Amino acid sequence: MASLDLVNVQKSFGPIKILHDISIGLQDGEFLVLVGPSGCGKSTLMNIIAGLEEPTAGSLKLQGRDITNVAPAERNISMVFQSYALYPNMTVAKNIEFPLEMRKVEKSARAERVKSVSKLLQIEHLLDRKPRQLSGGQRQRVAIGRALAREPQLYLFDEPLSNLDAQLRVDMRTEIKKLHQRLKATIVYVTHDQIEAMTLATRIAVMKGGVLQQLGTPYEVYNQPANTFVASFMGSPRMNLVKARVSGTGGALSLDIQSGQGARVSIALPPSATPAGLQAYAGQEVIAGIRAEAVSLARDGMVAGPTHCFVDARVEVIEPTGADTLVVLNLGGNEFTVRLEPDAPLKPEQNARFLIDLSKLVCFDAKTESLIA
Amino acid sequence: MASLDLVNVQKSFGPIKILHDISIGLQDGEFLVLVGPSGCGKSTLMNIIAGLEEPTAGSLKLQGRDITNVAPAERNISMVFQSYALYPNMTVAKNIEFPLEMRKVEKSARAERVKSVSKLLQIEHLLDRKPRQLSGGQRQRVAIGRALAREPQLYLFDEPLSNLDAQLRVDMRTEIKKLHQRLKATIVYVTHDQIEAMTLATRIAVMKGGVLQQLGTPYEVYNQPANTFVASFMGSPRMNLVKARVSGTGGALSLDIQSGQGARVSIALPPSATPAGLQAYAGQEVIAGIRAEAVSLARDGMVAGPTHCFVDARVEVIEPTGADTLVVLNLGGNEFTVRLEPDAPLKPEQNARFLIDLSKLVCFDAKTESLIA
Amino acid sequence: MQPRLDIARIVLYVVLFGFAVVFLMPVYVMAVNSFKPLDEIRTGNMMSLPIDWTIAPWLSAWSTAQIGVQPTGLKPFFINSFLLVIPSVALSTLIGALNGYILTQFKFRGANLMFAAMLFSVFIPFQIVLIPMAKTLGFLGLAGTVKGLIFVNTVYGIGFTTLFFRNYYAAFPTELIRSARMDGAGFFGVMGRILLPNSTPIIVVTVIWQFTNIWNEFLFGASFSDFSSYPLTVALNNLVNSSTGVKEYNVHFAGAFIAAIPTLVVYLVSGKYFVRGLMAGSVKG
Amino acid sequence: MKSGYLPKLLFSPSVFLVLVCVYGYIMFTIYLSFTTSTMLPTTEWAGTAAYARLLGLENWQVSLSNLATFASLYILIAMAMGLGLAILIDQKIRSESLFRSIFLYPMALSFIVTGTAWKWLLDPGVGLERSIHLLGWESFSFTWIKDSEMAIYCVVIAAVWQTSGFVMAMFLAGLRGVDTEQVNAAKVDGAKTWQIYLRIILPQLGPVFVSAFVILAHMAIKSYDLVIALTNGGPGRSTWLPSVFMYQYTFTRNEMAVGAASSVLMLVAIGAVVLPYLFSEMRKVKNG
Amino acid sequence: QQQSVEVLHWWTSGGEASALNVLKQTLEKQGVTWNDMPVAGGGGEAAMTAVRARVTAGNPPTAVQLLGFDVQDWAKQGVLADLNDLAAKGNWDKVVPPALQKFSKFNGKWIAVPVNLHTTNWIWANKEVLAKAGVTSEPKDFDEFIASAEKVQKAGFIAIAHGGQPWQDATVFDSVVLATGGVDYYKKAFIDLDTKTLGSPTTLKVFQRMSQIRKLVDKDFSGRDWNVASGLVISGKAGFQIMGDWAKGEFVNAKKVPGKDFNCYRFPGTQGTAAFNTDNFAMFKLSDPAKTAAQMKMAADVMDPSFQSSFNVIKGAAPARSDVADAAFDECGKKAIKDVAEASKNNTLVGSIAHGHAVPASMKSAFYDVITRHFNGQIDDKKAVAELVSAAKN
Ligand SMILES: Nc1ncnc2c1ncn2[C@@H]1O[C@H](COP(=O)(O)OP(=O)(O)OP(=O)(O)O)[C@@H](O)[C@H]1O
Ligand SMILES: Nc1ncnc2c1ncn2[C@@H]1O[C@H](COP(=O)(O)OP(=O)(O)OP(=O)(O)O)[C@@H](O)[C@H]1O
Ligand SMILES: [Mg+2]
Ligand SMILES: [Mg+2]
């Protein structure tokens, strides 16, 4: 396995700049998950790593070797394409075998490998079919199988599980995780699935409009988002972001949440949960971010802990998702989504009291939208 | 909008039977979500409804009219294809406009429509591009746009959001929900996303290997799964299914969970949470199903309510997903996954006490694997 | 889906049938007259069926008709034509595929200009290359040999074959090629394993074109070969185009059919490779 | 994709051959056209004498105007027929291969012989006209081949007959390369069969149109056997084409310089007509 | 080393080939292998192309069948061999009619050997048809011929079977010119290209007569092969055909007997004169002495009287030597030999315009252009004369 360094990689299609100065350094055996809104340049970046597109500027190093001008075939990289790109003239087995054949792997070893990969992906019964006789999910698994057949220095997966059902997805995710651990493979992985990103990544790169927003561990990205974009992009439902004014001084700051027309809400911040940088914003406006799961329904007789506080809000919408219930509140005139147990005893239009875990609170500069740490 | 009736629809490709006797009746304005493992025949069923494949047997009625032999163009159906199937020779705008043009919609009205649809899908800036110049998610949105341009009797969506990022996915989901409510459109929708299925559907059809397993409201499917397949297919993490022996008689039954080597666990069932049919199984084995979210960490001093019970279990694996933590327990020798708050104070290998909500317990016949109601 | 028979389809069949009849008319004339004795042709109606059926003209065209001084029939010239046509077709098709691949997948300066140059080359009248080519062949020592003919037919086939393949590959899904390159396929791997196996229809078209053209090529055959390497067309021409002798139309027609058999076989065999939906399901979008 | 040296290396033999055997020889021909060559090439310089003679020849003018009529009609009709037949054949018909072969077979037969069959068919005294008379339609008249105004249309008919099957094959190959999923999508979008062809399939066949055009244009320009076998240039000189002219003057009339001059003028004319079209089409292929 | 000859020719029809086979066998008896190189097509057009390619490639055949002025043209290129030694030995200058020598010699050197002597001013007539139309005697002059033909036409037959191809039109023209202007006019106008003579009223008359013939031809004549036209006569659909002596083959092949079923006679008004064409084997310069030796053997064999006889009996022409016995020939053949001998003696043996024995190929074709256009009614008689003159000027 190998380390991968992207140095100031840029890409334009004609006049349109798709990637701006992307620099990422990956250690041997890292699992990088690329996330970002549709069209932000993830696949383009993957193609550049694979050598299928030339970067307009910048360079790439694999295991210290400059590969900017190396042909894809000589990079020793495997890739699962977002669009599958199965070979229509070959059966499933042949598709999987192809990269091995190209690397001159012996016939019996190939057959072995096809067998084990197809077993892993539960497509053994499809080995003799042509791509056009497969369902969407089956095609996607064949595409994965083709990439897994080899053991290259680097794997690239572009949304490999998007067409699989939830169970299979969990299975495949586990398999990929195992694979990563077993082979100590370096992997770059694009996904839109939050859970995939959180569970698989050793590091997550969040992109937006071709610009790298944050590169960090899943914990960092989730709990210390570099800016409001990352904050609201990661996590579902998205983080609640509300404008608030910082008041008080010294050790005891509090946030006053602006009220459009609703009642004004003031939240006192416990010193332990106050970012150091927030002091400088006293009297100014910031953006406060609280995740939906940091709020719970206050039960009768509960007492707020040192990092908790109570707020009263009006219930607007209730959306049961099975495992939980999402409730949209009106908090000081702002929409505020919280996640509660499935059988939370609430009805639309009622008022209720909620408990906020302030240790999960993050604040952003109102102008630059970056994290105040 | 229109009602749709599938009557004993069957489909074989050569010797392989893909769909077995599917009968589904949809009311005007219903939103049917088709779910099932990859390759179970969802797309095939969609194709049959669209008229792109002929059923081997059975018939279809749209608004009471037999359409089994009606050409696709005359069915007045819109469809989003799993593979997008964009027209490579046309720009995005032309792609969206095409179905309108085919229905002889006036030019100005078409332009209007393209504008509003592309705004809805956030692809206004892409209107002049060719499909080849789009990212995966952008292509998918164009495909949706093409389907939404018209207002047909029936919409078919085959995994329309699989390549979108989480935020966009939520947005689009909401838009589709709104569309459904505004137009009172009848919709058939394939997805692998549990949340999509639960939030969008008026009814869910669960398929497996070409056989319809259950057709019911999201609540029914989630809480009263017709069999163990449906139970474990719907919901993530999957429902915990453990073999248990029913003991006791009369009003007070209890379940003894078989222990491979672990300690034997016995759970007393409160009469209010005991399915009527379970009486007949006294002394026999059943499969008990408990969802991960029906279990919580018992806190010190807690007292079990009338439909709750305590169990002791050993923590095996802890998997934080951001919003919650998934914990795999060893319960009487069985793996048992529970979903806890993100900061549950647990460590692997420790023993702890958990609270089970027995009102969520479901039992299945051990042989037929169907629900005991 | 097996379409049902309705009015539209009946019309479709009627139209197809009508065209088929028109297309078959000349060959009908040839066929019926190839089975008539010469007298009957001289005196009778050319469109009517033979009164006195005979296969003598066919036998004669095959084995006894006069091609040169010896009454050899067309038989001995088949081999020559095959020796000439098979390598020429294979070579020019291969070169065309190669050029098409290079021209569509590798962008280098002057590539488009070269393509235009090759394209334009199909328009040159062959009579203008005859003399210089004769000189060239003489210089290369290939004059009067099958090798020389193969060379000539290959060179002047490149324009077409390149055109066919380049235009076909221009629409080929790039993802497939990219994927193959990722999988470690080199230049020839991509071509041999991905492009060619997915080019069946265009290969069929190219082979039909090249086979027919080279099989029926006369000018080069007559000019650049000697009797031992004469291709079939020259023989057929000698059979048909004798100047002041008696014209045995029945033998001519039979000879024409015989000479066309390989081409017809190629058409029949290759036809079934026009398969539908070659790419379906290989890529999204 | 970036190119290493291998593609260029593999491409260069073709380039070399084409440059030498086509453009080199064209140079040679241009040179010949300025000499006094008659039977064999000579090097004696004659200036533009050959061109002067050529332009004064009525045969040349007749040939050119015939070519204009013939080429435009032939290309148009053969293209339309080929496309039409391909679409008809593409309708999942029974005995597809039979029909396909029937339309394609004329390509297999060399015109050395089919010319005779056509000559008979078109001949009013023995062919179609007489047969129809025998069937009872006495007033039917089809004497084009004997009519110097109309004979060129007979050449068009025979040429269309010979090549439209091949054009059909080309279009069929193109039609069958189009992804079925797109066709499915168009069906659902409410497109009728003809609209699917017109809007979805044909626009993707741009390159096939280019190929077909080149094939037909080249046939139109090079048709020699056809004319010789069918009308031998007659009645009178009314079906002469430049190809006949070139051949006649170069090899039969021993006026090689004039023949060369006519080739040069033809090439210039072809270049003027074809190249702009090709370039525009190629640009479309690249961007579209 | 095995001696061999390579012979390029276009005699590939049954009769021609078996005639040539005589030569082949003769040579093989002398130990010379025969490498055939037949290239048929038109009047040897394809063959001429092939020769050019062969010569350019530096690989000419031993002998090439050539017509008329082509021999001279090739000789001018300096690629033909010198046969004078052989000619002296065989006394060719004496036995070959001077009119023919003009084509087989260049700058006083023999370079080619003549094989046959065809004459073109023949008429072929179906006796039965003529009888039915009431034509009992052979027409003596042009007007009589026209009158007879008109009778045939009136009787419901095609009067003159003709194929509308330039060379056939020109073949008729040969005869009409001879009949109208006589040998002197013919030579002056069409061989010496004297423009005054060409523009004279005689020429106008020639074209007027062509127009007369045109009226006696059926409407479907255009493009018809000559042998189809012969077929019309043979099958009794037409009365006459104006065609060279090779037409006899068609009649004989259809089991018709000269004198009994059909008649052959000189075009009315041309008795005693003959327009001829002759096939030569031009001998190319070779570098290999073994080949040259074989070439000389071949040339000698061709000029051998017994070969000339046996070849031309089959070919249907007269021998190119005037000293060959006519015993083996049929009635028409005997007449041909007699006529040729007479004409040669009277110096009325003239090269055929139609077959490139009057003027070189380019001029011949220019004449074709005029004759054909006139015959097809595209230009009138006067215009035809004018165009003929202007063609001759170029
Ligand atoms: N042309 C064909 N020939 C043979 N089998 C086919 C053909 N098309 C589809 N199948 C098979 O039919 C089954 C159902 O396919 P379908 O596309 O309906 O699955 P699906 O439920 O949409 O799956 P996914 O969620 O993966 O898209 C699959 O097992 C597939 O392999
Ligand atoms: N050939 C091209 N010409 C112009 N723009 C292009 C081209 N290919 C891609 N783009 C644009 O580049 C941007 C990035 O594309 P890319 O495929 O990398 O997105 P992505 O992050 O993978 O998105 P998704 O999640 O939707 O797959 C998109 O906005 C796309 O429209
Ligand atoms: Mg992408
Ligand atoms: Mg599917």
Side-chain angles (χ1 to χ4, degrees), chain B residues 315-331:
Chain B
V315 176
E316 306 238 298
V317 180
I318 298 180
E319 203 178 20
T321 67
D324 343 72
T325 301
L326 297 179
V327 179
V328 182
L329 305 178
N330 182 328
L331 185 71

Side-chain angles (χ1 to χ4, degrees), chain D residues 38-42 53 58-59 62 116 119-120 123-126 129 143 145-148 224 228 230-232 234-238 240 247-256, chain E residues 45-46 48-49 51-52 55-56 69-70 73-74 77 79 164-167 219-225 228 237 361-366 368-370 372-373 376 378 383 387 394:
Chain D
T38 52
M39 188 144 208
L40 287 175
T42 64
R53 169 151 167 73
E58 199 172 337
N59 283 339
V62 171
T116 311
K119 205 152 72 177
W120 289 5
D123 191 302
V126 293
E129 184 181 300
T143 57
I145 201 165
K146 305 296 184 192
D147 179 340
S148 45
Y224 175 77
I228 294 303
L230 196 61
T231 62
N232 199 11
R237 291 282 177 264
S238 58
W240 267 45
Y247 199 90
Q248 283 277 322
Y249 276 79
T250 312
F251 294 116
T252 310
R253 302 195 174 193
N254 293 341
E255 297 196 53
M256 197 173 263
Chain E
E45 283 160 20
M48 284 307 95
T49 313
V51 183
R52 274 187 188 75
V55 172
T56 316
F69 281 91
D70 286 347
D73 287 339
W74 279 109
Q77 306 295 328
V79 292
Q165 294 172 337
W167 73 269
K219 69 176 172 43
D220 296 334
F221 75 99
S222 156
R224 179 188 286 150
D225 285 333
V228 176
K237 291 196 184 96
S362 54
M363 187 57 67
K364 172 188 84 177
S365 306
Y368 276 10
D369 294 346
V370 180
T372 295
R373 270 145 46 86
N376 282 282
Q378 286 164 311
K383 180 107 196 293
E387 289 207 354
N394 276 319

Side-chain angles (χ1 to χ4, degrees), chain A residues 13-14 16 18-19 36-47 53 82 158-159 190 192 207, chain B residues 125-126 129 132-139 141 163-165:
Chain A
F13 284 115
I16 317 162
I18 302 295
L19 293 178
S38 169
C40 71
K42 303 178 296 292
S43 299
T44 307
L45 190 59
M46 296 288 259
N47 282 339
E53 306 261 14
Q82 189 172 10
D158 199 348
E159 303 196 28
V190 173
H192 284 313
M207 289 172 64
Chain B
H125 58 298
L126 306 172
R129 299 227 193 133
R132 188 160 21 85
Q133 301 169 314
L134 301 179
S135 78
Q138 289 165 341
R139 286 181 200 175
R141 277 179 280 164
N163 272 285
L164 304 187
D165 59 275

Side-chain angles (χ1 to χ4, degrees), chain A residues 38 159 163 167 232 323 339, chain B residues 141 159 163 167 232 323 339:
Chain A
S38 169
E159 303 196 28
N163 273 283
Q167 294 317 333
S232 61
R339 180 140 68 138
Chain B
R141 277 179 280 164
E159 303 196 29
N163 272 285
Q167 294 317 334
S232 61
R339 177 139 71 135

Side-chain angles (χ1 to χ4, degrees), chain A residues 68-323:
Chain A
T68 319
N69 293 317
V70 172
E74 278 136 37
R75 290 190 184 195
N76 201 10
I77 292 177
S78 263
M79 180 163 176
V80 179
F81 287 78
Q82 189 172 10
S83 59
Y84 314 155
L86 302 181
Y87 308 128
N89 55 307
M90 301 183 195
T91 60
V92 168
K94 277 278 163 203
N95 261 284
I96 296 175
E97 203 184 332
F98 186 74
L100 298 174
E101 210 184 324
M102 288 299 110
R103 312 271 167 181
K104 306 216 169 36
V105 176
E106 225 195 308
K107 191 153 185 148
S108 60
R110 285 186 337 230
E112 196 63 35
R113 199 87 192 97
V114 170
K115 216 169 134 188
S116 70
V117 165
S118 58
K119 192 168 165 195
L120 186 79
L121 298 168
Q122 305 169 30
I123 47 174
E124 292 155 292
H125 58 297
L126 305 173
L127 286 178
D128 291 330
R129 299 227 192 135
K130 293 278 176 75
R132 98 181 69 99
Q133 300 170 316
L134 300 179
S135 78
Q138 290 165 340
R139 287 176 198 171
Q140 197 161 35
R141 277 179 281 164
V142 176
I144 299 174
R146 200 169 56 184
L148 295 189
R150 284 198 299 135
E151 289 184 8
Q153 289 187 292
L154 180 67
Y155 287 100
L156 303 176
F157 292 91
D158 199 348
E159 303 196 28
L161 309 179
S162 63
N163 273 283
L164 304 186
D165 59 273
Q167 294 317 333
L168 202 50
R169 206 159 170 149
V170 173
D171 292 354
M172 290 297 128
R173 191 170 80 203
T174 314
E175 291 301 337
I176 290 172
K177 181 132 204 169
K178 277 193 200 153
L179 181 91
H180 176 234
Q181 284 166 351
R182 182 164 53 80
L183 300 179
K184 300 263 164 288
T186 312
I187 295 179
V188 183
Y189 190 104
V190 173
T191 183
H192 284 313
D193 186 307
Q194 303 275 339
I195 303 188
E196 257 169 65
M198 298 300 286
T199 53
L200 289 175
T202 61
R203 279 202 285 169
I204 294 179
V206 185
M207 289 172 64
K208 181 192 166 196
V211 179
L212 185 62
Q213 304 289 319
Q214 184 169 11
L215 178 64
T217 64
Y219 183 88
E220 282 165 10
V221 169
Y222 195 81
N223 293 303
Q224 297 286 311
N227 53 35
T228 52
F229 171 76
V230 177
S232 61
F233 188 78
M234 294 301 292
S236 171
R238 68 173 73 185
M239 183 185 268
N240 296 292
L241 293 173
V242 291
K243 293 227 163 147
R245 185 168 292 276
V246 182
S247 60
T249 46
L253 294 176
S254 69
L255 292 176
D256 294 340
I257 295 176
Q258 302 292 98
S259 51
Q261 338 91 313
R264 186 164 157 234
V265 177
S266 180
I267 295 172
L269 296 178
S272 69
T274 309
L278 201 60
Q279 297 287 1
Y281 286 81
Q284 290 180 35
E285 220 173 41
V286 296
I287 298 170
I290 297 167
R291 294 231 175 254
E293 64 270 17
V295 180
S296 53
L297 189 61
R299 293 194 198 173
D300 289 349
M302 259 187 175
V303 183
T307 61
H308 287 74
C309 81
F310 285 109
V311 290
D312 290 311
R314 188 183 151 78
V315 175
E316 304 236 301
V317 180
I318 299 180
E319 203 179 19
T321 66

Side-chain angles (χ1 to χ4, degrees), chain C residues 114-166:
Chain C
M114 266 332 296
F115 176 58
M118 285 186 180
L119 250 194
F120 186 65
S121 79
V122 308
F123 289 105
I124 58 158
F126 282 153
Q127 48 267 41
I128 78 168
V129 304
L130 200 74
I131 299 290
M133 184 47 96
K135 260 211 167 81
T136 310
L137 289 180
F139 174 75
L140 295 175
L142 293 176
T145 64
V146 177
K147 274 194 215 124
L149 274 183
I150 293 173
F151 173 76
V152 176
N153 280 309
T154 305
V155 167
Y156 295 110
I158 289 178
F160 281 116
T161 57
T162 303
L163 168 72
F164 289 151
F165 279 99
R166 183 211 176 261

Side-chain angles (χ1 to χ4, degrees), chain D residues 60-170:
Chain D
W60 176 241
Q61 273 136 33
V62 171
S63 302
L64 281 185
S65 82
N66 278 343
L67 178 65
T69 316
F70 171 69
S72 52
L73 276 177
Y74 163 62
I75 293 175
L76 222 76
I77 298 174
M79 195 93 110
M81 283 262 291
L83 182 58
L85 290 175
I87 290 176
L88 290 183
I89 291 244
D90 196 36
Q91 302 308 308
K92 302 201 172 120
I93 55 164
R94 273 169 240 260
S95 22
E96 175 189 319
S97 68
L98 177 71
F99 280 113
R100 211 177 36 220
S101 308
I102 288 178
F103 299 137
L104 198 52
Y105 88 89
M107 275 279 291
L109 301 168
S110 131
F111 237 94
I112 296 175
V113 185
T114 40
T116 311
W118 269 106
K119 205 152 72 177
W120 289 5
L121 259 180
L122 295 172
D123 191 302
V126 293
L128 211 59
E129 184 181 300
R130 176 157 165 219
S131 300
I132 289 181
H133 286 178
L134 290 179
L135 289 177
W137 183 6
E138 292 288 347
S139 60
F140 177 85
S141 157
F142 186 76
T143 57
W144 285 6
I145 201 165
K146 305 296 184 192
D147 179 340
S148 45
E149 294 290 313
M150 308 302 281
I152 191 76
Y153 301 111
C154 289
V155 182
V156 173
I157 292 173
V160 165
W161 169 81
Q162 194 189 25
T163 31
S164 53
F166 184 73
V167 176
M168 171 202 76
M170 286 173 54

